[in-house]
Amino acid sequence: MKSYRKELWFNVPSRRAFVNITEQVAHCLAESKIEEGLCLVNPMHITASVFINDDESGLHHDYERFLERLAPHEPIAQYRHNDTGEDNADAHIKRQIMGREVVVAVTQGKLDLGTWEQIFYGEFDGKRRKRVLVKIIGE
Amino acid sequence: MKSYRKELWFNVPSRRAFVNITEQVAHCLAESKIEEGLCLVNPMHITASVFINDDESGLHHDYERFLERLAPHEPIAQYRHNDTGEDNADAHIKRQIMGREVVVAVTQGKLDLGTWEQIFYGEFDGKRRKRVLVKIIGE
Amino acid sequence: MKSYRKELWFNVPSRRAFVNITEQVAHCLAESKIEEGLCLVNPMHITASVFINDDESGLHHDYERFLERLAPHEPIAQYRHNDTGEDNADAHIKRQIMGREVVVAVTQGKLDLGTWEQIFYGEFDGKRRKRVLVKIIGE
C-alpha cells in the first residue's frame, strides 16, 4: 500500500468564498503515483468546508444566501461562542451544513468524478492563512 | 490491496425520491471478494445524495417536508443558478444538507452497518438516468 | 494492509449532548499499530452523529439552539415518523444536518488533525446504550 500527504494553503481575502481546488487535488494525485485507492480532502480548520458541487457563480450566490439565512453572521451577539471574543460562530455552523470533507475514488490514476463534480474549498472565516489536507492511500 | 469499482444506474420517475440501495451495495461487496476495508458510495451527480438512515416512509415524508421548507423548489426565480436556464438550484442545496457520500466499514466480507442503518440514494432532480459510484478498497 | 475495528459504547443521560471522543479514537489508533492510512468513525445508529469541530461550550449551545430551531423536538405530532410510536423524528433530521461520519487521515501513527479539530459524538436521542464504530485501514 502507498500513501501520500500534502497540505494546500489558502489565504482568502474576504470573509467567505468558494475556491475550486479540483486541479490542485488532481496534481496531488499525479504526484502520488497511486492508481487505485481513496483520496480524502479536508480542511484542517473548523470554520471551513471541503465539498463537491458545481462551478457556477449563480449557484455560489444561492449557497451564500442560503447559509446567511440559516446562520447569519450578524448580530454577533446572538451566538454564545462569540462571548469568547470570537466573531465566527456562524462560520462553525455554516461549515457543518456544507460538510467537513470529501472522499473521492481513485481509478486508473484519476479522480473518479462525475462530469460536473468539482471540489471546492468553502471558506467561512477568511482573511488569514488556512490549510487543506490531501491524503491518498492505495496502490 | 484489492480494489473494486461499479456504477449503479437509476432513473427515478419523479423529481424527488429516496431509494434504498443497501442490497445493491452489498451485492457489489460480495462481488469484490474484499473482506476488510472501506466502501465509498457517492452519486456522480451534484443534485443527488447518498446517505444512511431509516427505511421508514413517515421519516422520508418528514425529510421531504424539511428540505422543501429550507430550500423550496418554487418559485424557480428565487435562485440565481436558475438564471442559467436550469430549474434545479434547490436540488443542489438539498443535496448539501443531506450530504454527498457515505463511507462504510467492511468487516469479514460484510457491510459493517448498525441494525437500522440503510443506504439511500436521495434524488432531488430526477426523471433522467443518473449514476452512483461504488468503490471498495481493502483485502 | 492492516485493518482494525472497535466499538465504543455510550449512554448519554440526556436526550441531546456532544461528547468529545478524540482521546478514545486516538487510543484505538495506537492499539491498531497502523502508521499510514484512513480512520473512519461513525455511529451505528441513525439518530446520532460523529462530527469534527471545536470543544467550546458556547459553540455547543449555539449548535443545540440552531438544530432545535431547524427541527424542533416538539410538538411530537408535527412529524409523520412519530406516528409509528417513536418521538425521535427530530433526531433523524438533526443527525443529517450534522452528518453521519468522519474520515480522518492517519500519518506517522497519529490522527492527522488540525490544531482545533476535535472528534465529537453527537447524541440526539439519548438515555440508552449506543455504539460508535472505529475502523482503521492502512499499514
Side-chain angles (χ1 to χ4, degrees):
Chain A
M1 202 200 77
K2 285 184 200 168
S3 73
Y4 171 93
R5 179 192 194 273
K6 181 103 151 211
E7 292 176 5
L8 307 175
W9 285 85
F10 299 92
N11 194 341
V12 169
S14 52
R15 181 177 297 277
R16 291 190 294 276
F18 300 121
V19 182
N20 189 332
I21 63 172
T22 315
E23 280 307 306
Q24 288 173 77
V25 177
H27 183 76
C28 290
L29 177 54
E31 240 177 40
S32 77
K33 314 269 193 213
I34 290 171
E35 292 286 318
E36 297 292 326
L38 294 177
C39 174
L40 168 69
V41 191
N42 67 265
M44 301 187 77
H45 302 263
I46 52 189
T47 51
S49 176
V50 170
F51 67 94
I52 286 180
N53 218 294
D54 198 359
D55 198 352
E56 198 281 302
S57 62
L59 180 65
H60 296 182
H61 173 92
D62 296 332
Y63 279 143
E64 159 68 14
R65 208 168 134 253
F66 169 72
L67 293 168
E68 263 295 283
R69 180 160 53 81
L70 283 197
H73 179 63
E74 295 187 322
I76 303 294
Q78 75 191 289
Y79 301 108
R80 293 291 61 76
H81 179 58
N82 292 341
D83 295 346
T84 64
E86 297 280 358
D87 68 351
N88 62 7
D90 67 303
H92 290 274
I93 296 174
K94 287 172 169 115
R95 114 71 170 260
Q96 287 308 124
I97 300 167
M98 293 301 276
R100 170 183 179 256
E101 80 226 4
V102 296
V103 178
V104 179
V106 174
T107 302
Q108 298 185 338
K110 302 288 181 197
L111 295 171
D112 199 339
L113 294 170
T115 313
W116 301 102
E117 287 193 294
Q118 295 284 304
I119 308 173
F120 286 90
Y121 175 63
E123 176 63 86
F124 304 116
D125 184 32
K127 305 182 189 175
R128 55 201 176 91
R129 276 167 56 78
K130 291 164 85 169
R131 288 177 291 168
V132 165
L133 178 63
V134 180
K135 183 90 185 189
I136 311 171
I137 70 167
E139 258 178 5
Chain B
M1 202 200 76
K2 285 185 200 167
S3 74
Y4 172 94
R5 178 192 195 274
K6 181 102 152 211
E7 293 176 4
L8 307 175
W9 285 86
F10 298 92
N11 194 340
V12 168
S14 52
R15 180 176 297 276
R16 291 189 294 275
F18 300 121
V19 182
N20 190 332
I21 63 172
T22 315
E23 280 308 305
Q24 288 174 77
V25 177
H27 183 76
C28 290
L29 177 54
E31 240 178 40
S32 77
K33 313 270 192 214
I34 290 172
E35 291 286 316
E36 297 292 325
L38 294 177
C39 174
L40 168 69
V41 191
N42 67 267
M44 301 187 77
H45 302 263
I46 53 189
T47 51
S49 177
V50 170
F51 67 95
I52 286 179
N53 218 294
D54 198 359
D55 198 353
E56 198 281 302
S57 62
L59 180 64
H60 296 181
H61 173 93
D62 296 332
Y63 279 143
E64 160 68 14
R65 211 169 132 251
F66 169 72
L67 292 168
E68 264 294 283
R69 181 160 52 81
L70 283 197
H73 179 63
E74 295 187 322
I76 303 294
Q78 76 190 288
Y79 301 108
R80 294 290 61 75
H81 180 57
N82 292 341
D83 296 347
T84 64
E86 297 281 357
D87 68 351
N88 63 6
D90 67 303
H92 290 274
I93 296 175
K94 287 172 170 116
R95 114 71 171 262
Q96 287 308 125
I97 299 167
M98 294 300 276
R100 169 182 178 257
E101 80 225 3
V102 297
V103 178
V104 179
V106 173
T107 302
Q108 297 184 340
K110 303 288 182 198
L111 295 171
D112 199 339
L113 295 169
T115 313
W116 301 101
E117 287 193 294
Q118 295 284 303
I119 308 172
F120 286 90
Y121 174 64
E123 176 63 85
F124 304 117
D125 185 32
K127 304 183 190 175
R128 54 202 176 91
R129 275 166 56 79
K130 291 165 84 170
R131 288 177 292 169
V132 165
L133 178 63
V134 180
K135 182 90 185 189
I136 311 171
I137 70 168
E139 259 178 6
Chain C
M1 203 200 77
K2 284 185 200 167
S3 74
Y4 172 93
R5 179 192 195 273
K6 181 101 151 213
E7 292 177 4
L8 306 176
W9 285 86
F10 299 91
N11 194 339
V12 169
S14 52
R15 181 176 298 276
R16 290 189 295 275
F18 301 120
V19 182
N20 190 331
I21 63 172
T22 314
E23 281 308 305
Q24 288 173 77
V25 177
H27 183 76
C28 290
L29 177 55
E31 239 177 41
S32 77
K33 314 270 193 213
I34 290 172
E35 291 287 316
E36 297 292 326
L38 294 177
C39 174
L40 168 70
V41 191
N42 67 265
M44 301 187 78
H45 302 263
I46 52 190
T47 52
S49 177
V50 170
F51 67 94
I52 286 181
N53 218 294
D54 199 359
D55 198 353
E56 199 280 301
S57 62
L59 180 64
H60 295 182
H61 173 94
D62 296 332
Y63 280 143
E64 159 68 15
R65 208 168 134 255
F66 169 72
L67 293 168
E68 264 294 283
R69 181 158 54 80
L70 283 197
H73 179 63
E74 295 187 323
I76 302 295
Q78 76 190 287
Y79 300 108
R80 293 290 62 74
H81 179 58
N82 291 341
D83 295 346
T84 64
E86 297 280 358
D87 68 350
N88 63 6
D90 67 302
H92 290 274
I93 296 174
K94 287 173 170 116
R95 114 72 170 261
Q96 287 307 123
I97 300 167
M98 295 300 276
R100 169 183 179 256
E101 79 225 6
V102 296
V103 178
V104 179
V106 174
T107 303
Q108 298 185 340
K110 302 288 181 196
L111 295 171
D112 199 339
L113 294 170
T115 313
W116 301 101
E117 287 193 294
Q118 295 284 303
I119 308 171
F120 286 90
Y121 174 64
E123 177 63 87
F124 304 117
D125 184 32
K127 304 183 189 173
R128 55 201 176 90
R129 276 167 56 78
K130 290 164 85 169
R131 289 177 291 168
V132 165
L133 178 64
V134 180
K135 183 90 185 189
I136 311 171
I137 70 166
E139 258 178 6

